[in-house]
Amino acid sequence: MAGKTLYDKLWDAHLVKQRNDGSALLYIDRHILHEVTSPQAFEGLRLAGRKPWRVEANIATPDHNVPTTTVERQAGVAGIADPVSKIQVQTLDDNCDEFGIQEFKINDVRQGIVHVVGPETGACLPGMTIVCGDSHTATNGALGALAHGIGTSEVEHVLATQCLVTKKMKNMLVKVDGKLPVGVTPKDVVLAIIGKIGTAGGTGHAIEFAGEVFRDMSMEGRMTVCNMAIEAGARAGMVAVDEKTIEYVKGRTFAPTGELWDAAVTQWRELHSDSDAQFDTVVEMRGEDIQPQVSWGTSPEMVVPVNGSVPDPESESDPTRRESIKSALAYMDLKAGQAITDIPVDVVFIGSCTNSRIEDIREAAKVVKGRTRAESVKRAMVVPGSGAVKAQAEAEGLHKVFLDAGIEWREPGCSMCLAMNADKLEPGERCASTSNRNFEGRQGYGGRTHLVSPAMAAAAAVTGRFVDVRELV
Amino acid sequence: MKSFTKVTGIAAPMDRANVDTDLIIPKQFLKSIKRSGFGPNLFDGLRYLDEGQPDQDNSKRPLNPDFPLNSPRYQGAQILLARKNFGCGSSREHAPWALDDYGFRCVIAPSFADIFYNNCFKNGLLPVVLTEDQVDQLFREMYKAEGYQLTVDLEQQSVTTPGGDTFHFEVDDFRKHCLLQGLDDIGLTLQDANAIEGYEAQRRKSAPWLFV
Ligand code: SF4
């Protein structure tokens, strides 16, 4: 019999019941809630007179709608200017209070973007099944966990039953061996992978990222990669547990201690694919081939190396693809053949669950240090992923580097990643963004998003256009 | 949940690949804490010429005359014809809620994003996967014939055209059963409460740190 993949192991350990129609009941260890996808689920529980099955398995924090300016944050929920956002954040508070769910409220230092808070607090651990009503939940897969996004009906279902009705996905291995060139970051790696396999390349699969590049990568880097599994079409992305994983988890608030820690670590060390495990799909790439990436279109697969140029729709033979390139170029106001380094940017956003951890902030600060925001750049902001990241960055003096350069330093939240709060692009504005989606209007109606790494975004902030960050460091 | 057995209705086009959930229902409408009322903002960015806001009177907004759903011939449509990877992007269930609230009962496409596909079944909306060629044929026939109607039969797992072509589609048994009956997932799962408790008891022993 062939060995098991990491995903097989996680699945088997959580299987409550296999139904004979192919669906299964999968036990959920950790459920994370935020304000946008939970109100209707709580309402459903109330209407049916149900209670959470295991209330301690849930934690919550508001992130999508919270304002990120210090002024607007001071008065907490009451101070949120947008009345609709205020109701949503207040509703999360009320629901958590009513059902007894632990919540990191708006000005709690542990508040932040769900996918940053989970690993950072140790609420998410290796070997867990983790779900959240948000597609970037796969971030937690970096811990060697099975983590993915669910819809609101499923949020209600998990609250009420601690289980998910689901079907086993296929196994996909993305193997990147070799060494990354200097200046190439985890974000570039995942963008290059999406560029290669496409936004539907992983549909129906759980992706395991393996190979030397991921072994060499920091835990936060692995989170950046797993975070964008969904942009490659896969609900879940994961990396095997190694010593880095265990080091990372050790000592975190909700991590086990003493004997429990030792017992946990023994089990966690088994969380890797067996050497003879079979994958349904295998993709291989070489680290040396990956360059800093910049997306040019309105889908994350529309990405090229920074030294490349905008593609020509006429050289695309598939008519559907040709049309989508054409409409992307029209929306993005770019010309076929234009060099990426000739594209000027108006706005720079460093943040989001993809790139708002301390290492991301350090990377960006390293590029900005001793430089100032280019005059042509109208706005640039750094939005830390959580209160803890913010505090750490400030302890290291990184916020000063940004402020001195004319770059804003904000309070934690999703912010301009999806522009549900006041942080948004004006129509036509072009943004170098460390977020994960460049869909039309994602960062504001008519706004144009280019996805890049924190270092590349910082380089754009100080030069006013896309440059190969390696020329600056 | 609303059940789905058989629907005969007008088909309307969403003729582009990779339609993401932001396009189906833009984020500003996600601030609602309700489950209904998203229909007027379905495809908001394409449907209107201005930027929509929640709690706005949509009847006063300028319509985009080039957007098919604004054309009289597609009024009352219940079936949406779409292209590949429909529903990609964010996991928001507001996307199927908006389609449902607008009046769609079924979306036909060559492929769907996983989470969206899953969310449809939880909301009485049937996502149907046909081959690329079959979808092409439906698009062609629909553009040619005003009032073009399709019949989607979940029991038979078939889509029938006015010309009498019948295409078979796959759907897994559990989802089919739930959708035909309009069954509530939670109630079904709770019938297995003993199995869940049994799993927990065993897991408390084998991985006690998960239960502190
Ligand atoms: S940062 Fe962006 S992608 Fe991440 S959870 Fe928030 S809105 Fe979603």
Side-chain angles (χ1 to χ4, degrees), chain A residues 41-256:
Chain A
F42 282 113
E43 189 61 25
L45 281 191
R46 258 191 301 270
L47 290 174
R50 291 178 173 130
K51 291 255 168 296
W53 178 277
R54 185 158 75 89
V55 77
E56 326 80 76
N58 302 281
I59 57 164
T61 190
D63 55 3
H64 286 63
N65 271 287
V66 296
T68 62
T69 55
T70 309
V71 175
E72 207 182 329
R73 278 289 268 265
Q74 260 152 9
V77 183
I80 302 177
D82 178 342
V84 200
S85 292
K86 176 153 67 180
I87 290 175
Q88 212 172 45
V89 175
Q90 185 64 52
T91 303
L92 181 67
D93 287 1
D94 295 348
N95 283 327
C96 288
D97 292 348
E98 178 185 339
F99 289 97
I101 290 171
Q102 176 161 30
E103 185 197 1
F104 307 141
K105 295 199 161 96
I106 186 165
N107 285 340
D108 188 315
V109 69
R110 296 167 299 180
Q111 178 269 338
I113 306 173
V114 277
H115 317 306
V116 175
V117 169
E120 167 183 280
T121 55
C124 296
L125 296 171
M128 276 184 167
T129 41
I130 301 158
V131 294
C132 170
D134 191 284
S135 57
H136 291 101
T137 309
T139 313
N140 297 288
L143 295 161
L146 174 56
H148 60 74
I150 54 176
T152 299
S153 296
E154 291 173 316
V155 170
E156 184 181 338
H157 190 277
V158 171
L159 278 167
T161 70
Q162 210 52 48
C163 289
L164 195 63
V165 177
T166 185
K167 265 180 99 167
K168 194 162 179 207
M169 299 179 264
K170 287 195 267 187
N171 278 291
M172 181 174 201
L173 178 67
V174 174
K175 194 159 183 274
V176 190
D177 276 314
K179 296 274 177 210
L180 293 177
V182 177
V184 174
T185 68
K187 181 65 164 290
D188 301 309
V189 174
V190 70
L191 285 173
I193 293 169
I194 296 163
K196 182 178 165 94
I197 70 174
T199 49
T203 302
H205 292 78
I207 301 182
E208 178 176 347
F209 298 98
E212 191 181 355
V213 161
F214 301 110
R215 278 199 301 278
D216 287 350
M217 204 176 265
S218 71
M219 285 305 293
E220 295 192 357
R222 294 173 187 178
M223 289 176 206
T224 298
V225 172
C226 291
N227 173 275
M228 290 191 71
I230 188 72
E231 272 65 49
R235 288 180 78 173
M238 61 194 78
V239 176
V241 170
D242 61 9
E243 291 312 307
K244 281 185 191 165
T245 321
I246 291 166
E247 261 319 295
Y248 176 88
V249 175
K250 196 169 186 172
R252 299 205 175 254
T253 314
F254 296 104

Side-chain angles (χ1 to χ4, degrees), chain A residues 322-344:
Chain A
R322 185 162 59 234
E323 279 318 303
S324 55
I325 295 176
K326 273 191 195 158
S327 74
L329 293 188
Y331 182 83
M332 295 296 290
D333 191 28
L334 294 173
K335 284 185 215 53
Q338 193 172 352
I340 295 294
T341 48
D342 285 345
I343 303 174

